[in-house]
Amino acid sequence: MKKIIAILLLNVHLFNLGGYHFVFQYFIHQSEEQIVKEIYENKIDATKLVEIKIPVHLPGIHKWKNYVHVNGQLQLKGVYYNYLRYKMAPDTMSFICIANSVKTQLVTANLVIAKEFNDVPLSKKGHDSSLKKASWGAEYSFQIPDFKFAAFSTLLKTKLSPIFYPLNNPYIESPGKPPNFSC
């Protein structure tokens, strides 16, 4: 009986140390999967779509006429969005997004619970805003394309033909003495 109580108390302690974080990550992952599934099945209500324009300075980019259909995630001012398509201009990036309110609520709740467990005082908003961004581009999170190159299935046979000339005598015969050099 003492072993069972000890194991139970150990599990409660380990959950308090960081288990809640894993539970929140699981639920966040499930919400992301759900919204991506809705996007691929075209179950997204067109009235919930939002256009977000982000100012950028890209002088080498020409203005795109149409949106590119790429799925990804974007966080702006504490709200998480899943974007469906985007287009670029030299001064702005336009995203067509849907707000992921479930993920936003879960991340906010995770921050509040983590700070309560760690005895960190909360601000009036419910989370600490004392952390500053490192640079102007730190608040944007873009997908990085991952390329994988595969080798061809047929390989060419290489034929080695080294240049080799056998030398019987390594010394070269001289026709005579070298000329005398004097200034």
Side-chain angles (χ1 to χ4, degrees):
M1 185 67 173
K2 289 182 181 181
K3 282 186 177 181
I4 295 173
I5 292 173
I7 291 173
L8 180 67
L9 289 175
L10 181 64
N11 285 333
V12 168
H13 180 67
L14 290 177
F15 183 77
N16 282 337
L17 286 178
Y20 62 89
H21 177 72
F22 293 118
V23 172
F24 272 106
Q25 290 302 318
Y26 172 75
F27 286 126
I28 288 170
H29 179 72
Q30 290 298 322
S31 72
E32 289 175 356
E33 280 186 356
Q34 179 65 29
I35 201 160
V36 168
K37 184 178 177 183
E38 289 177 5
I39 289 170
Y40 280 118
E41 293 176 356
N42 289 329
K43 292 183 179 178
I44 301 296
D45 187 14
T47 60
K48 293 183 181 180
L49 294 178
V50 179
E51 182 177 11
I52 297 175
K53 291 186 177 183
I54 299 174
V56 293
H57 180 68
L58 301 169
I61 300 289
H62 297 290
K63 185 175 182 178
W64 296 0
K65 295 179 184 178
N66 300 323
Y67 283 93
V68 177
H69 292 276
V70 177
N71 295 338
Q73 293 182 355
L74 176 69
Q75 179 189 5
L76 186 63
K77 296 181 182 176
V79 180
Y80 289 89
Y81 298 94
N82 285 61
Y83 60 87
L84 309 173
R85 50 191 176 266
Y86 73 97
K87 74 176 178 180
M88 301 206 32
D91 58 346
T92 58
M93 289 181 71
S94 301
F95 293 93
I96 301 294
C97 305
I98 185 164
N100 193 344
S101 59
V102 176
K103 182 176 180 179
T104 304
Q105 291 172 353
L106 286 171
V107 168
T108 305
N110 188 13
L111 288 174
V112 170
I113 289 175
K115 290 182 181 187
E116 285 177 3
F117 279 151
N118 295 326
D119 294 330
V120 176
L122 298 174
S123 66
K124 292 179 182 177
K125 290 183 176 180
H127 63 284
D128 189 15
S129 60
S130 64
L131 298 175
K132 298 291 180 186
K133 303 282 189 216
S135 66
W136 63 270
E139 65 261 27
Y140 307 117
S141 175
F142 300 112
Q143 281 185 330
I144 298 172
D146 184 22
F147 297 105
K148 293 183 181 174
F149 297 100
F152 291 111
S153 61
T154 59
L155 296 175
L156 299 175
K157 291 184 180 180
T158 58
K159 182 179 178 184
L160 297 176
S161 57
I163 300 173
F164 178 72
Y165 183 75
L167 293 175
N168 296 335
N169 189 1
Y171 300 108
I172 300 174
E173 297 277 335
S174 174
K177 288 178 136 186
N180 291 336
F181 183 75
S182 62
C183 293

